[in-house]
Amino acid sequence: MKIINNRNINRLVLIILFFMISTLTLLGMSRILEFLNSGADRSSMLHLELTTEDAYLPKVVWRDLENPAREIEQNTLHKIEKDYLFSWYVKNNALEKNTTKGIEDFYTQNTRKNLYRTIAYNKGHKISIESTTIKHFPELEFYSEDGQQVVFTDKNVVEFQKISQNDQLLTSIQDTATYKVMMLLEDGFWRVRHMVKMDAEPFQKDTVQPTPIYTVSNNQILQNKTSYTIKGINYYPKNSAWDTFGELFNKDTIAKDFDIIKKANLNTIRVFIQYEDFGKAKVKLEKLAKLKVLLDLAEAKKLAVIVTLFDFYSDYTIPSWTLTHRHAEHIVSEFKNHKAILGWDIKNEPNLDFENRNKENVLNWLDHMITVIKENDPNHLITIGWSNSVEATNLANKLDFISYHFYNDMIHLEYETNGLLKNTNKPVVIEEFGVPSYGGVWNFWEGSPKEQAAYHKKMQTYFKKNNYSFMSWTLYDFPHVPDQVAGKWPWQKMRQKKFGFIDEHGNNKPAFQYISNK
Amino acid sequence: MIKKIPYYILPIMAFFLFVFAKIKTDEKAATFSIQNIAKTYTAGNAISISFTTESKTATADLYLIHSYSKIIINAKNENGKLTFKLPLFFTEKTGSVSWHLLSKNSKASTGTFKIIPNNTTTTKIESYLGPRTILTGKQNFTMMVVVPTDGLDNPKEDNTAVIIKDQFQEDITSEQKNTTNFIAWKNIYSRVKSGKMLVSSQCEQTTTKEIETDIYPSIATNFSITYERNHDFADGNQITKLTTSKITDQFGNLVSDGTLVAFYITTTTNMVLKTYAATINGIAIAQILHPDHGDTYNIKAFVTGMAESQPIKISYQPLIKSFPYTFSKENREITVGPLKSFMNQIVPNGIKVVLEIYHNNQLVETLQLDSYDGLAKFYLSPSFYKEKEYQFLIHTLGITQKTEIKKYENHK
């Protein structure tokens, strides 16, 4: 019997068609059912997804809560503040992206129009304004008896904005103004009803007398008014490289390391704080506690500490500014009276981000961060750890001392350092320098412990001769180096593991005897 | 040929020189000076700002920060003059405007001007009254908040006069308040009488509609209760009516209709019975059923959390002292009654009669019937009650009677 005949083919086609049609019908039905079951999440009705905590945190200080009407309750004030900041947040967002998103929630019906018209105009003219407010000092003027209306004057709001048209950055501008604001409580939201910009008025600054230990005079750092030359080292515990305050944090390990450092005739260490590790805008208290342990130990061993902030952080965009401000504010104000701290290094090698993150952005961010730190901690010096001496002149007049990292050929050391000293008339610290002792296939057997020792010996003669402040990289060889630091390739990592004066088994390498000078 | 070379080179050099010179002029910073910026403008009027410059080509942009807006305006250099025309929507809002002149090669000059409310437009008023219900009494008040704006929705300047009026019965007051921080406000105090209060406001030629606030009586004060009943017998049928006196607040205002009064009734056996009634015209009336046995009720009424009455006592007489009962059908049928009331009339239907059956002083069963035409008939079926003798206790209308021991024979 012939299997392949017309009848069998017809049957086969019919059967296949039947399966295909059934499958498609079922698929189609399931899609329709799926569609009918989807829709707005019910929780979205309650606006639960909005939280200011992580979105927008400019500094807000209520200066005066006296008002002639009803006394305000703390929780109401908190809610008003939250919604008011949201009104700024959606306004900033609207002006940047020319969108009306969120405006309905924080502006009343009549007031929305004003923003809509601005957005329409800016959209038509291809204007985009990235802005953030930095500080608010509101004073309560009126809170109605039924708790539905509030009027306050937000004094001296500092606004920073980057203005662009046709995708061309025109300029960035800082402006200070006072706003008088009336808000109404409507279906659970405080919404802006009236907002009138007024001229800023000068008001008294808090006069806190700074009590610094470390000061600066011309090219010299002073400790209790006597000249202080930093003989320092960059410090990570051996087993927690780039993670000083992590799981392996151990007081005894650090105490032993500090003894080694002190005995080696060094007087300063540099440590690193990572933005995310420390909890971003809401700084984790247990991390602060660990930092305090380290600083207290340093104080006990008479070591000065340069604390580098914002390690592994590279978002300089304006909408995130206020979050980083709260991070820095919390940390520096916590330790503003700590005697071990010599200064705050705002960021390690920020100039490496110039290319990808826009130089202008990075510098503006650093500039404002200097202000934030100075305001919250007038007692300690401020520097930025530039990765080379050319970029180290950026913001020089705002910094207390200049730090740069020297990995060039050492014959340039004096030229570069003296140039900076002369140009900036500020103390200059060679904040990182060093060579790896690694010699292997990845660098054609270039380095060796002996060559490392020779390098440090020579460097120390330069330092001694010129009385330079220096901080070498680094105390230990590290068994593990995270990818973020040097890169993931072995030829990148292997070098980075071998910069230490002490190898990973705890034995002093030949370079150790040239760790400092007398 | 070689001699001709300078003829070729010269024009080329001249060309480069020219280009170089052009760049030079461009690089020279143009300075702009303000030609026309007023200190204040009135909202809604056209605003144009002009600058002059010695350059015929240099241009600049104007960046403006206002109450709600941040915009850039572009202008062309027209013979050394740059005129920036502000869009209409921008000029309609009041407040201080910061301007920044942005030009490529010169330092930005900045300044501010002010836009003030337009008083020639029709004044508009937004008023907020709250709380919308208050209680009588001198310490209670409602607050009127008035926000006068110009026709463009800008709050009027400080010290704008607003008249706030309120009416309560014949009493109409009117007071002028001046605005500060956008608003004029007044506390309008409650009166000793309850009722409606109307509030309105006026600013310049504009008046608002009236807004009502209700003045409710404040909390009730203590009151008394009385009772009323047809007779004092505990017949389980009649109703005793409990009536409160007129419940008022401290100023004599009747409490709002619907104020709930709870009556707590304590019997002689310390059982607590409750009933509720809502007031109408200050009076709450509750009804309770007479007990079916002699009892004494202690009654006290409360408006929860606010006021209470003095307690009263109501006694109920037992209806009868004893009742007859008969056995028939070989003692299998027990007829209780006829139950007769205080006038020898038959008691109303539905009086509870309870029969307790004992055998050798052991309770075997309790039966219950409601009386009908004064009688209650119990039948003891021989298939269930197989013992030789039973004794009975009969309870009705609060009276208990014990029968003698009755003998039974099994009839098969």
Side-chain angles (χ1 to χ4, degrees), chain A residues 222-243:
Chain A
L222 307 178
Q223 182 192 46
N224 293 323
K225 291 178 185 157
T226 56
S227 167
Y228 183 80
T229 303
I230 294 176
K231 295 175 180 178
I233 192 156
N234 286 276
Y235 175 68
Y236 286 114
K238 187 176 65 178
N239 291 316
S240 42
W242 287 273
D243 190 23

Tab-separated table of all heavy atoms in Angstrom, chain A residues 222-243:
chain	number	residue	atom	x	y	z
A	222	LEU	N	50.019	73.413	58.960
A	222	LEU	CA	50.457	73.594	60.340
A	222	LEU	C	49.642	72.688	61.253
A	222	LEU	O	48.452	72.495	61.052
A	222	LEU	CB	50.260	75.045	60.781
A	222	LEU	CG	50.867	76.129	59.898
A	222	LEU	CD1	50.532	77.499	60.443
A	222	LEU	CD2	52.376	75.965	59.791
A	223	GLN	N	50.322	72.139	62.252
A	223	GLN	CA	49.629	71.376	63.276
A	223	GLN	C	49.836	72.153	64.568
A	223	GLN	O	50.984	72.328	65.007
A	223	GLN	CB	50.226	69.977	63.389
A	223	GLN	CG	49.514	69.113	64.419
A	223	GLN	CD	50.299	67.858	64.717
A	223	GLN	OE1	51.503	67.907	64.918
A	223	GLN	NE2	49.603	66.727	64.766
A	224	ASN	N	48.751	72.592	65.155
A	224	ASN	CA	48.843	73.467	66.321
A	224	ASN	C	49.866	74.584	66.098
A	224	ASN	O	50.730	74.841	66.928
A	224	ASN	CB	49.197	72.672	67.576
A	224	ASN	CG	48.063	71.748	67.945
A	224	ASN	OD1	46.891	72.093	67.798
A	224	ASN	ND2	48.411	70.545	68.383
A	225	LYS	N	49.781	75.168	64.919
A	225	LYS	CA	50.576	76.332	64.522
A	225	LYS	C	52.064	76.051	64.303
A	225	LYS	O	52.852	76.978	64.133
A	225	LYS	CB	50.384	77.480	65.525
A	225	LYS	CG	48.967	78.037	65.421
A	225	LYS	CD	48.698	79.125	66.410
A	225	LYS	CE	47.236	79.521	66.323
A	225	LYS	NZ	46.733	80.139	67.524
A	226	THR	N	52.459	74.777	64.347
A	226	THR	CA	53.833	74.495	63.949
A	226	THR	C	53.809	73.677	62.673
A	226	THR	O	52.882	72.905	62.430
A	226	THR	CB	54.597	73.712	65.038
A	226	THR	OG1	53.851	72.526	65.307
A	226	THR	CG2	54.782	74.510	66.305
A	227	SER	N	54.835	73.857	61.887
A	227	SER	CA	54.882	73.257	60.565
A	227	SER	C	54.775	71.733	60.627
A	227	SER	O	55.356	71.081	61.482
A	227	SER	CB	56.209	73.671	59.927
A	227	SER	OG	56.428	72.897	58.814
A	228	TYR	N	53.975	71.188	59.716
A	228	TYR	CA	53.691	69.758	59.744
A	228	TYR	C	53.896	69.202	58.345
A	228	TYR	O	53.234	69.616	57.403
A	228	TYR	CB	52.240	69.554	60.182
A	228	TYR	CG	51.808	68.121	60.320
A	228	TYR	CD1	52.135	67.384	61.458
A	228	TYR	CD2	51.049	67.509	59.330
A	228	TYR	CE1	51.713	66.071	61.594
A	228	TYR	CE2	50.636	66.190	59.462
A	228	TYR	CZ	50.966	65.472	60.594
A	228	TYR	OH	50.545	64.170	60.746
A	229	THR	N	54.857	68.307	58.219
A	229	THR	CA	55.084	67.665	56.928
A	229	THR	C	54.457	66.280	56.980
A	229	THR	O	54.776	65.478	57.854
A	229	THR	CB	56.585	67.539	56.644
A	229	THR	OG1	57.146	68.848	56.714
A	229	THR	CG2	56.817	66.955	55.269
A	230	ILE	N	53.555	66.040	56.028
A	230	ILE	CA	52.878	64.745	56.025
A	230	ILE	C	53.848	63.673	55.553
A	230	ILE	O	54.444	63.770	54.479
A	230	ILE	CB	51.649	64.789	55.095
A	230	ILE	CG1	50.603	65.757	55.649
A	230	ILE	CG2	51.061	63.394	54.908
A	230	ILE	CD1	49.399	65.944	54.756
A	231	LYS	N	54.053	62.681	56.418
A	231	LYS	CA	54.778	61.481	55.993
A	231	LYS	C	53.763	60.364	56.134
A	231	LYS	O	53.540	59.842	57.222
A	231	LYS	CB	55.981	61.240	56.898
A	231	LYS	CG	57.020	62.339	56.783
A	231	LYS	CD	58.145	62.140	57.762
A	231	LYS	CE	59.154	63.276	57.611
A	231	LYS	NZ	60.245	63.145	58.570
A	232	GLY	N	53.148	60.055	55.032
A	232	GLY	CA	51.961	59.230	55.184
A	232	GLY	C	51.908	58.041	54.261
A	232	GLY	O	52.793	57.805	53.445
A	233	ILE	N	50.813	57.315	54.435
A	233	ILE	CA	50.618	56.111	53.635
A	233	ILE	C	49.127	55.905	53.418
A	233	ILE	O	48.302	56.247	54.280
A	233	ILE	CB	51.275	54.896	54.316
A	233	ILE	CG1	51.342	53.714	53.346
A	233	ILE	CG2	50.542	54.494	55.591
A	233	ILE	CD1	52.434	52.726	53.700
A	234	ASN	N	48.782	55.397	52.258
A	234	ASN	CA	47.395	55.034	51.988
A	234	ASN	C	47.126	53.691	52.646
A	234	ASN	O	47.909	52.755	52.492
A	234	ASN	CB	47.170	54.930	50.486
A	234	ASN	CG	47.124	56.299	49.854
A	234	ASN	OD1	46.085	56.956	49.839
A	234	ASN	ND2	48.268	56.768	49.362
A	235	TYR	N	46.016	53.630	53.349
A	235	TYR	CA	45.817	52.449	54.190
A	235	TYR	C	44.530	51.701	53.903
A	235	TYR	O	43.438	52.276	53.907
A	235	TYR	CB	45.849	52.848	55.668
A	235	TYR	CG	45.521	51.695	56.573
A	235	TYR	CD1	46.403	50.620	56.687
A	235	TYR	CD2	44.323	51.645	57.278
A	235	TYR	CE1	46.102	49.531	57.488
A	235	TYR	CE2	44.004	50.564	58.083
A	235	TYR	CZ	44.905	49.502	58.173
A	235	TYR	OH	44.601	48.430	58.955
A	236	TYR	N	44.696	50.403	53.630
A	236	TYR	CA	43.596	49.437	53.705
A	236	TYR	C	44.118	48.274	54.533
A	236	TYR	O	45.285	47.903	54.380
A	236	TYR	CB	43.254	48.870	52.333
A	236	TYR	CG	42.510	49.798	51.413
A	236	TYR	CD1	43.105	50.255	50.245
A	236	TYR	CD2	41.203	50.171	51.683
A	236	TYR	CE1	42.426	51.090	49.381
A	236	TYR	CE2	40.517	51.007	50.812
A	236	TYR	CZ	41.124	51.461	49.666
A	236	TYR	OH	40.452	52.274	48.804
A	237	PRO	N	43.289	47.694	55.390
A	237	PRO	CA	43.732	46.468	56.048
A	237	PRO	C	44.038	45.419	54.975
A	237	PRO	O	43.444	45.436	53.901
A	237	PRO	CB	42.532	46.044	56.893
A	237	PRO	CG	41.722	47.280	57.051
A	237	PRO	CD	41.956	48.090	55.828
A	238	LYS	N	44.934	44.501	55.290
A	238	LYS	CA	45.444	43.581	54.294
A	238	LYS	C	44.327	42.791	53.598
A	238	LYS	O	44.338	42.616	52.390
A	238	LYS	CB	46.425	42.610	54.966
A	238	LYS	CG	47.132	41.712	53.994
A	238	LYS	CD	48.161	40.843	54.686
A	238	LYS	CE	47.482	39.897	55.641
A	238	LYS	NZ	48.408	38.994	56.322
A	239	ASN	N	43.377	42.305	54.399
A	239	ASN	CA	42.370	41.410	53.835
A	239	ASN	C	41.083	42.115	53.423
A	239	ASN	O	40.136	41.467	53.013
A	239	ASN	CB	42.046	40.298	54.820
A	239	ASN	CG	43.234	39.371	54.966
A	239	ASN	OD1	43.855	38.993	53.982
A	239	ASN	ND2	43.587	39.063	56.204
A	240	SER	N	41.032	43.410	53.573
A	240	SER	CA	39.826	44.103	53.121
A	240	SER	C	40.214	45.315	52.291
A	240	SER	O	39.889	46.439	52.621
A	240	SER	CB	38.935	44.490	54.296
A	240	SER	OG	39.691	44.978	55.363
A	241	ALA	N	40.918	45.026	51.204
A	241	ALA	CA	41.315	46.106	50.307
A	241	ALA	C	40.084	46.723	49.687
A	241	ALA	O	39.179	46.010	49.268
A	241	ALA	CB	42.224	45.556	49.220
A	242	TRP	N	40.023	48.019	49.638
A	242	TRP	CA	38.884	48.790	49.118
A	242	TRP	C	37.589	48.467	49.861
A	242	TRP	O	36.521	48.659	49.348
A	242	TRP	CB	38.719	48.561	47.610
A	242	TRP	CG	39.785	49.268	46.844
A	242	TRP	CD1	39.758	50.550	46.417
A	242	TRP	CD2	41.051	48.752	46.458
A	242	TRP	NE1	40.928	50.871	45.809
A	242	TRP	CE2	41.744	49.776	45.809
A	242	TRP	CE3	41.682	47.511	46.624
A	242	TRP	CZ2	43.030	49.627	45.301
A	242	TRP	CZ3	42.965	47.354	46.105
A	242	TRP	CH2	43.622	48.404	45.450
A	243	ASP	N	37.715	47.953	51.051
A	243	ASP	CA	36.525	47.630	51.831
A	243	ASP	C	36.863	47.745	53.317
A	243	ASP	O	36.579	46.851	54.101
A	243	ASP	CB	36.045	46.214	51.479
A	243	ASP	CG	34.678	45.910	52.066
A	243	ASP	OD1	33.946	46.888	52.341
A	243	ASP	OD2	34.362	44.731	52.254
